[in-house]
Amino acid sequence: MDTSGLAVLDERIAGCRACPRLVAWREEVARTKRAAFADWTYWGRPVPGFGPPDARLLIVGLAPAAHGGNRTGRMFTGDRSGDVLYEALYDVGLASRPTAVTADDGLELYGVRVTSPVHCAPPANKPTPEERDTCRPWLVRELELLRPALRAVVVLGAFGWQAALPAFAAAGWSVPRPRPAFGHGTRVRLDGLDLFGCFHVSQRNTFTGRLTPAMLREVLRTAADAAGLPPRPPGARPAPERS
């Protein structure tokens, strides 16, 4: 498979300056930092997707966290939401390790890619509708490049769901009208693709028990099965493909 298209896309995303409010915020956070990360050099740029270009399963979040992805330069890396997500991916055999600390920590995802509809950290974790729509072409292009292998998608949260459905339509999938409503455990079939809804792995959801590790693992296992990813023990590397 030619992977150059996705690599070029990731590079272009990382250089985007289209939304003045988001550019100002992400760069201000990178300068002022959080006391716990005072010795870090923050990424401070848009955060591209993470995972193999032939992923059969895609996870769509919301946007990078100010002191997570905006600091480390990798989706869901270095924040508590990522702690929950990557531990669950490890538990169901889709990640090489249960933690995501830095962009060079050796974490590998097996058949899974992680992305978001907004690639810059937004103030108060709330991008505006205009910022969401401005960022949409990046997600559309990512979906187009992933489409040959992609078989299932897990969307985390209602914002991601509302942002993702128009992107799927723009990328060539037939999205039902009226558009399906978001719900945890919702499953929608789109032209050979299974789309799953899951509560976001935010602290608000995980600390209150609205989303438990068991609930998250169940959605991920179901989506992995729909994507044709074989079950594996936690952290087990996939068997090499036979020629």
Side-chain angles (χ1 to χ4, degrees):
M1 174 181 290
D2 179 10
T3 62
S4 61
L6 200 57
V8 170
L9 176 68
D10 290 346
E11 184 176 351
R12 291 181 62 202
I13 288 172
C16 183
R17 301 182 64 84
C19 299
R21 187 183 79 117
L22 297 186
V23 171
W25 172 253
R26 79 192 190 210
E27 294 181 355
E28 174 64 18
V29 169
R31 284 191 298 269
T32 58
K33 309 181 182 180
R34 179 176 282 173
F37 307 120
D39 60 342
W40 274 75
T41 298
Y42 274 51
W43 172 255
R45 300 163 63 190
V47 181
F50 167 56
D54 59 349
R56 298 179 66 87
L57 172 61
L58 181 67
I59 298 173
V60 179
L62 190 161
H67 301 281
N70 190 56
R71 171 171 59 92
T72 63
R74 194 173 71 189
M75 283 288 175
F76 281 104
T77 298
D79 61 61
R80 291 190 177 181
S81 294
D83 292 343
V84 173
L85 176 62
Y86 287 119
E87 184 174 13
L89 286 169
Y90 175 83
D91 287 345
V92 300
L94 297 176
S96 64
R97 51 183 288 166
T99 58
V101 182
T102 65
D104 59 356
D105 58 13
L107 172 65
E108 293 181 71
L109 300 183
Y110 304 141
V112 181
R113 185 172 170 88
V114 182
T115 193
S116 64
V118 176
H119 287 275
C120 291
N125 293 321
K126 293 181 179 179
T128 67
E130 181 181 4
E131 289 162 349
R132 174 200 65 199
D133 294 347
T134 299
C135 211
R136 181 175 296 144
W138 297 128
L139 180 57
V140 171
R141 183 57 182 152
E142 189 169 15
L143 290 171
E144 290 172 343
L145 291 168
L146 292 172
R147 184 163 188 167
L150 194 62
R151 297 296 177 266
V153 179
V154 173
V155 181
L156 302 173
F159 181 95
W161 186 267
Q162 293 164 2
L165 289 178
F168 280 105
W173 277 274
S174 297
V175 177
R177 288 283 191 175
R179 287 176 178 162
F182 172 78
H184 182 83
T186 296
R187 183 172 184 172
V188 179
R189 186 73 170 168
L190 304 177
D191 300 336
L193 183 78
D194 284 288
L195 183 66
F196 297 85
C198 178
F199 291 143
H200 197 278
V201 289
S202 65
Q203 292 182 59
R204 181 177 59 186
N205 287 336
T206 57
F207 282 8
T208 61
R210 188 179 191 219
L211 178 67
T212 66
M215 291 167 63
L216 178 57
R217 289 194 299 268
E218 178 62 25
V219 172
L220 292 175
R221 285 194 185 101
T222 304
D225 181 67
L229 294 172
R232 292 187 294 269
R237 296 184 66 85
E241 294 184 4
R242 295 181 179 179
S243 57

